[in-house]
Amino acid sequence: MKKRPFIIDCDTGTDDAIAIVAALGCEEMEIVGITSVNGNVPESYTSRNNLNLIEYLGYHIPVCHGAILPLLGSKATEASTAIHGKTGLGSTELPEAEHSDFDPRIAAQFIYEEAVKRNGELELLVTGPITNIAVCLCEHPDLPNYIRHLYFMGGSTVGGNVNTTAEFNIWVDPEALHVVLQSGIPMTMVGLNVSNQTEMRPSEETLLRSFGTRETNLVAELLVYMMNRSVGASKVFRANMHDPLALAAAVFPECMKYEEYFGDTECAGTYTRGHTAIDVFRRSGKEPNVRVAVEVDVDLFREWLCDRIRISGENGEAVRK
Ligand code: RIB
Ligand code: CA
């Protein structure tokens, strides 16, 4: 099978890390590199998490620094101790990378150079604020000529998780998604309207632990953290697989249904900044510019995800020998 080249651009975080582990179990993918962005936690943490994770699992995949601030330069995200823990990986402390260092190119430069090298075959999986892609477009307006497809976790057609309208990734940098949506890059959006249905439960944690590999144990540990965190007295966050679902859109699309819509982001609203305005009633008169996931077969997705994590463990054991 000819592997499809991907760059994973992420704000590693708990569910980003699970998506990376699962991607390492997807035989369809060649992971060309991992680029880091400010999001769940500051970029200094997300980039370190990416480098430590790749070395811990035994791979030699380029890891790049990326945007420290959103496009408009507002403050970086505070370390989100509540949702992803102080470092972004919950209570998991990976060994500090000793033999790897960051690729000298920053994300926007890496993405463009690798896209041109692959002459239109490169695909992007974006699981954090989409700042790096927007920066790359600003520096290289011809980027769309070299991107086969961009899959992103972000936005929603039914309401937010930061407030009633905005989903976190887009709320951090709505201008960035506005830039990317106007670019002409073929895109698939995986929003909260589907990802909020993808909770992993103790049964999946038990199944993954039964495989006993570094990968499956790591994911099980992350799931335990995600299942048990809470914010305030009542608000409990479930172990929703937001980012792994965006991976599924790329390599296991049959677990969801999609519609083509026109979409843009609200960048000015006092109460709605970060809202993804998806024209689900098709009344804008504007041409569709994004394919939106609208339904998910959760059981099929969960079974696929656990299987990819299992295979990732088998792959990792072979790599680490
Ligand atoms: O809203 C969910 C998204 O925000 C996920 O990508 C999660 O990792 C956080 O970045
Ligand atoms: Ca993320």
Side-chain angles (χ1 to χ4, degrees), residues 88-304:
L89 292 179
S91 49
T92 297
E93 293 189 15
L94 294 175
E96 280 300 310
E98 291 176 357
H99 315 297
S100 325
D101 202 351
F102 291 103
D103 187 287
R105 293 167 288 182
I106 63 158
Q109 181 190 359
F110 180 82
I111 291 166
Y112 185 69
E113 287 184 8
E114 295 301 323
V116 171
K117 191 191 295 182
R118 282 162 178 77
N119 199 25
E121 288 305 303
L122 183 68
E123 298 178 77
L124 302 176
L125 173 64
V126 181
T127 63
I130 203 162
T131 313
N132 287 329
I133 316 308
V135 169
C136 189
L137 279 163
C138 293
E139 290 179 348
H140 306 285
D142 62 337
L143 178 69
N145 299 337
Y146 303 105
I147 300 297
R148 181 176 172 186
H149 205 96
L150 184 158
Y151 302 87
F152 73 100
M153 192 282 138
S156 172
T157 60
V158 293
N161 56 2
V162 174
N163 53 43
T164 54
T165 56
E167 177 278 327
F168 177 80
N169 287 339
I170 312 310
W171 174 79
V172 168
D173 198 345
E175 284 78 11
L177 183 58
H178 172 74
V179 167
V180 181
L181 281 169
Q182 313 305 315
S183 70
I185 292 176
M187 300 172 69
T188 296
M189 169 178 145
V190 175
L192 296 176
N193 52 295
V194 284
S195 68
N196 268 345
Q197 302 173 49
T198 61
E199 178 183 14
M200 295 279 263
R201 302 148 306 178
S203 52
E204 280 81 40
E205 184 233 333
T206 304
L207 171 65
L208 290 171
R209 278 201 199 282
S210 72
F211 300 125
T213 64
R214 188 173 287 192
E215 285 79 359
T216 54
N217 288 335
L218 171 60
V219 171
E221 191 178 303
L222 290 168
L223 290 179
V224 168
Y225 177 83
M226 296 173 81
M227 286 187 278
N228 293 293
R229 62 192 168 175
S230 62
V231 175
S234 58
K235 214 172 169 187
V236 174
F237 287 79
R238 299 175 300 167
N240 288 325
M241 295 292 100
H242 303 292
D243 297 338
L245 191 60
L247 170 68
V251 293
F252 187 55
E254 54 269 37
C255 73
M256 286 184 274
K257 290 185 178 168
Y258 309 85
E259 292 286 351
E260 303 280 344
Y261 293 121
F262 171 77
D264 202 347
T265 46
E266 177 53 72
C267 298
T270 305
Y271 302 107
T272 57
R273 176 173 162 78
H275 168 62
T276 43
I278 306 298
D279 183 24
V280 294
F281 298 118
R282 293 192 173 85
R283 290 181 186 150
S284 71
K286 296 184 177 180
E287 281 302 305
N289 58 350
V290 57
R291 184 173 60 156
V292 178
V294 293
E295 277 182 50
V296 56
D297 179 331
V298 181
D299 293 334
L300 185 61
F301 164 69
R302 276 196 282 245
E303 182 185 355
W304 169 85

Side-chain angles (χ1 to χ4, degrees), residues 51-69:
L51 193 73
N52 292 346
L53 178 63
I54 289 304
E55 181 168 300
Y56 176 63
L57 298 181
Y59 289 89
H60 301 283
I61 296 173
V63 176
C64 298
H65 281 291
I68 296 170
L69 294 175

